[in-house]
Amino acid sequence: MELETLVSKAQNGDKDALEGVVQAIQDDVHHLAMRMLVNPDDALDAVQDILILVITKLSTFSGRSAFKTWVYRVSFNYLLNAKKSLARDPGLSFDGFEQDLADGLGEKRIEDPVLLNELRVSCTMAMLLCLDRAHRAAYIVGFILEIAHDEAAEILAISKTNYRQRLSRARQKVNAFTQRACGLVNSGAACSCPRRLPAAMAVGRIQEGQTFFGGGDAAAYAAVLRRTKRLESGLRTLTLQQATRRFASPRDFAAVIGELVDTP
């Protein structure tokens, strides 16, 4: 059944259709929350809150835009403004992140391709936490979700001009950082994943047998390295940010929402 049909039925009180709506959108919402928050536990909490907002506000959806556009707007409004979401922000900066990378470099190298990929993806995602939330959201909508400008501006509830400005500033900041600090983008940069991996393992950020970030459908480390070498410098950062996994929801929120709906 098409999503819009499920939405219409759910708006008319069909509980099965409501659960179908949640199942249809929960992966998209979880992927978005992971890219905004990075921490898996924080993302799961945010997804549940967002999905509850979606079903409680479902009657207000008028169909003037695509349903997923509306869902993204509800999601970003929560992630950008809710006190609970704001409290999860680690407050990173590019200068601090760059210093952390430099402090973790040593002469020892680890060349394990699985662990290197776990480090690559987790570092790539954490990098966006150095952007303030407004610019992070613009970057994710424009370059991760690859949503057209008109729809992106609608999702973020800003003008197209403001959206384009935020997107441009966000890209400039991320590109400048990776050019300075990331060996995958600039071979002359001090940091390289093999040199950074020993320190990341020593503090428990990367653990053998754990491939949450670099697992799934994430591109392999060697493949990303080859790809970035072939690209112009301006496209290398974008390639890194897009070469992550699709973060499908590990929890069936449809069942959770169904229980909440049945609760008197």
Side-chain angles (χ1 to χ4, degrees), residues 35-53:
R35 292 313 310 256
M36 278 292 291
L37 301 174
V38 179
N39 181 284
D41 293 332
D42 290 346
L44 271 180
D45 286 345
V47 172
Q48 179 164 310
D49 290 347
I50 290 167
L51 292 175
I52 290 172
L53 279 173

Side-chain angles (χ1 to χ4, degrees), residues 48-232:
Q48 179 164 310
D49 290 347
I50 290 167
L51 292 175
I52 290 172
L53 279 173
V54 167
I55 65 169
T56 55
K57 294 175 177 287
L58 193 60
S59 62
T60 68
F61 174 66
S62 62
R64 287 195 296 268
S65 62
F67 181 66
K68 283 196 176 179
T69 300
W70 181 80
V71 169
Y72 278 141
R73 182 164 182 170
V74 172
S75 301
F76 273 109
N77 185 58
Y78 173 88
L79 291 165
L80 291 171
N81 300 304
K83 289 182 179 179
K84 188 176 179 181
S85 178
L86 292 172
R88 296 184 175 109
D89 200 291
L92 297 183
S93 69
F94 285 115
D95 287 343
F97 196 62
E98 187 172 359
Q99 186 61 54
D100 181 68
L101 292 177
D103 290 344
L105 294 177
E107 294 305 316
K108 182 180 178 181
R109 299 169 62 91
I110 296 179
E111 301 287 352
D112 185 294
V114 174
L115 296 178
L116 285 173
N117 213 37
E118 183 73 3
L119 177 65
R120 173 189 70 81
V121 178
S122 61
C123 184
T124 295
M125 292 178 61
M127 196 183 300
L128 293 190
L129 295 176
C130 299
L131 293 169
D132 65 60
R133 288 192 168 219
H135 287 86
R136 193 187 316 161
Y139 193 99
I140 290 169
V141 173
F143 296 128
I144 307 303
L145 302 180
E146 297 184 287
I147 292 173
H149 283 203
D150 287 359
E151 185 180 357
E154 180 184 351
I155 287 169
L156 297 178
I158 56 178
S159 70
K160 286 184 284 186
T161 299
N162 284 344
Y163 170 69
R164 286 193 291 267
Q165 290 173 344
R166 285 186 191 178
L167 186 64
S168 177
R169 286 195 295 265
R171 182 172 188 171
Q172 288 172 3
K173 290 179 180 180
V174 176
N175 283 359
F177 173 79
T178 54
Q179 281 291 332
R180 293 195 313 271
C182 178
L184 284 168
V185 171
N186 175 10
S187 60
C191 187
S192 71
C193 294
R195 288 184 62 203
R196 182 71 179 89
L197 184 54
M201 294 182 69
V203 297
R205 291 180 184 173
I206 303 297
Q207 300 177 32
E208 287 198 57
Q210 179 178 303
T211 55
F212 178 81
F213 291 100
D217 58 358
Y221 178 83
V224 173
L225 182 59
R226 288 194 300 270
R227 194 183 311 166
T228 55
K229 286 182 177 179
R230 294 196 301 264
L231 293 171
E232 296 178 6

Side-chain angles (χ1 to χ4, degrees), residues 1-16:
M1 189 180 298
E2 291 186 359
L3 180 55
E4 269 67 19
T5 301
L6 282 173
V7 172
S8 179
K9 287 180 176 292
Q11 286 177 317
N12 289 318
D14 187 323
K15 179 177 175 293
D16 290 338

